[in-house]
Amino acid sequence: MNIYFAGSIRGGRQDAALYHRIIEQLKSQGHRVLTEHVGDLNLVESRGDKDIYAQDTGWLRESDLLIAECTTPSLGVGYELAYAERFEKPCHLFYDQTKCNLSAMLTGNPYFFIHPYKSEEELFERLHIVLQKN
């Protein structure tokens, strides 16, 4: 399965290590993560904004499933979610409910599958269930 993983880049990298562990888990289960760079702990953006937009929207159209870690708010992730919805890609949103409240624009949208968690262990358990069902 081709998975588009969404996580904050310009909105803040405080969860980059978690993104890395999620991506590694997805890959270990045989999935192709199109946006593997999101989990790069030393990420440096070297392409221009237009190139990033073209590549990311192409990957979104190519994906079978979007998984987003939304604890760190990000305008880009919000845009990716709306874009994925437009192309009818299943979207699973994970967030640490001990650290944030997810936007009502996401929790109020019945299209999105929302997965709050309180620990990393719970996150990975929920992620495993999602992958088994898709």
Side-chain angles (χ1 to χ4, degrees):
M1 180 168 24
N2 289 327
I3 296 176
Y4 189 100
F5 177 80
S8 177
I9 294 178
R10 292 186 183 176
R13 296 294 289 159
Q14 56 266 39
D15 291 322
L18 175 61
Y19 303 158
H20 179 78
R21 290 189 296 275
I22 293 169
I23 290 166
E24 289 304 309
Q25 178 68 26
L26 296 171
K27 289 170 36 183
S28 75
Q29 294 182 23
H31 302 292
R32 179 175 174 228
V33 180
L34 302 171
T35 53
E36 194 172 336
H37 66 283
V38 176
D40 183 344
L41 302 178
N42 300 306
L43 179 66
V44 176
E45 291 181 303
S46 59
R47 298 176 294 136
D49 291 354
K50 289 181 182 180
D51 290 337
I52 292 169
Y53 174 83
Q55 181 156 24
D56 287 1
T57 55
W59 280 334
L60 279 162
R61 288 188 304 274
E62 182 184 343
S63 69
D64 301 306
L65 175 74
L66 180 144
I67 293 175
E69 206 300 322
C70 298
T71 303
T72 299
S74 166
L75 292 172
V77 171
Y79 187 92
E80 291 165 335
L81 292 169
Y83 197 93
E85 180 182 11
R86 158 68 176 85
F87 284 94
E88 300 179 346
K89 304 295 181 176
C91 296
H92 291 268
L93 288 60
F94 296 82
Y95 73 100
D96 186 336
Q97 64 186 13
T98 69
K99 294 181 181 177
C100 75
N101 291 313
L102 208 55
S103 169
M105 290 301 291
L106 301 176
T107 60
N109 183 339
Y111 185 81
F112 298 125
F113 299 96
I114 308 292
H115 305 279
Y117 64 90
K118 293 181 180 174
S119 68
E120 197 169 315
E121 179 180 309
E122 184 179 5
L123 161 64
F124 283 102
E125 288 171 3
R126 291 176 179 262
L127 183 60
H128 181 72
I129 293 167
V130 165
L131 294 173
Q132 285 182 326
K133 290 182 179 180
N134 285 287

